[in-house]
Amino acid sequence: MTATLIKRNALVCAASQGLGLATAKALAASGMDLCICARNEERLRAVAASLSTEYGVKVHAIALDLALPESSERLAREATRLLGHVDVLVNNVGGPPPSAAAQTTASAWKQGFEQVFLSSTLLTTALLPAMRERKFGRIITITSISVLEPIENLVVSTAMRLAVTGFTKTLAVEVAKDGVTANTVLPGIIHTQRIESLRRAKAEREGTTLEQEMARSEAAIPVGRMGRPEELAALVSFLASEAASYITGVHIPVDGGLRRGF
């Protein structure tokens, strides 16, 4: 059996919609069996059934809230039990509520820390020993373009995703000789419910409309449109493959040229 035909298993977080769902579809299309997680059990089970039927792979649904500290280790145990082992981990969580740097409360910082930073790092470290033992692992964390260029009114998300980036970069060096890669993917303006929610909030603050704010966002992107979730998922799928074995410790934007700097 060649390396390209080896059957792999993946765990995809927040996979009931948006970027997580697109990623789960891309990995299922590549032939991977999956565990997917999200908070809404009914929607998650419907997604699992649909993916299994469409792509002919096993898809297990695990409903939980990763913002709760105990959830990460529970998810790692359950995914390992259901799949046998996890080769590919896609860390992905929803963003914290908008807030300005000078107006963020202590409770908002704590919630953001648990939701964005602690969830992914605890899940990663729970699955890591088995990956190192098998000499194969792909850890891919979806963060945000804000780690390169902060976004107005998203200070908690930006700060916590920067912390995740530092963790990932450090981890990549530690596990490189064990056949485990660790990378982050940085979505720019991808058309998801999250983007619509943020633009709607901005419209309310500035007295404009959602349509106007969406149009402004598109006008700022060199390719002239927002990204599609499947375009980001295609990169994640590649990073999850054997072909990406020499790519680790990097942070790759998917932004249509939005960020002009190097």
Side-chain angles (χ1 to χ4, degrees):
M1 180 178 288
T2 63
T4 56
L5 296 179
I6 294 174
K7 182 74 171 180
R8 299 296 186 189
N9 302 321
L11 168 59
V12 184
C13 301
S16 64
Q17 61 185 352
L19 300 178
L21 174 56
T23 296
K25 287 182 178 180
L27 296 180
S30 75
M32 292 189 188
D33 290 337
L34 305 176
C35 271
I36 58 174
C37 77
R39 290 175 296 179
N40 188 314
E41 184 171 6
E42 182 177 357
R43 182 190 300 161
L44 189 67
R45 292 194 179 280
V47 167
S50 175
L51 291 175
S52 182
T53 299
E54 182 173 359
Y55 298 105
V57 296
K58 296 177 182 177
V59 184
H60 307 279
I62 304 173
L64 47 67
D65 185 355
L66 277 172
L68 302 176
E70 66 273 12
S71 292
S72 294
E73 291 191 4
R74 175 191 157 198
L75 177 58
R77 288 195 304 270
E78 190 67 3
T80 299
R81 182 184 70 81
L82 291 167
L83 293 172
H85 61 271
V86 175
D87 300 296
V88 177
L89 167 62
V90 181
N91 286 307
N92 177 44
V93 294
S99 67
Q103 299 170 352
T104 302
T105 64
S107 62
W109 284 117
K110 182 177 184 295
Q111 179 183 346
F113 174 75
E114 292 176 346
Q115 177 182 345
V116 178
F117 179 78
L118 207 57
S119 64
S120 64
T121 54
L122 290 180
L123 183 56
T124 297
T125 52
L127 292 170
L128 192 59
M131 289 182 178
R132 298 178 86 170
E133 184 177 349
R134 292 192 311 277
K135 299 297 180 182
F136 183 92
R138 299 286 184 265
I139 299 163
I140 304 152
T141 303
I142 299 174
T143 60
S144 169
I145 198 68
S146 68
V147 304
L148 299 178
E149 188 169 304
I151 297 173
E152 176 188 9
N153 217 48
L154 288 180
V155 68
V156 176
S157 176
T158 297
M160 293 304 125
R161 297 190 196 283
L162 277 165
V164 170
T165 302
F167 168 80
T168 303
K169 186 70 175 178
T170 304
L171 179 69
V173 176
E174 295 178 6
V175 301
K177 291 183 179 179
D178 299 319
V180 179
T181 65
N183 297 292
T184 62
V185 173
L186 287 54
I189 303 176
I190 310 293
H191 197 156
T192 61
Q193 290 181 343
R194 166 75 168 172
I195 286 295
E196 289 195 8
S197 175
L198 292 173
R199 296 303 177 271
R200 187 174 291 108
K202 186 175 182 181
E204 291 174 357
R205 291 195 308 271
E206 301 191 3
T208 59
T209 66
L210 172 61
E211 292 72 21
Q212 287 174 317
E213 293 304 328
M214 295 290 277
R216 285 180 184 177
S217 294
E218 290 189 332
I221 304 169
V223 300
R225 64 172 176 83
M226 294 185 183
R228 297 184 293 270
E230 59 266 27
E231 292 175 309
L232 180 135
L235 173 60
V236 176
S237 182
F238 171 71
L239 292 174
S241 71
E242 276 83 354
S245 60
Y246 205 60
I247 301 172
T248 193
V250 299
H251 319 299
I252 308 175
V254 182
D255 68 352
L258 179 65
R259 184 177 182 273
R260 309 299 176 89
F262 291 103

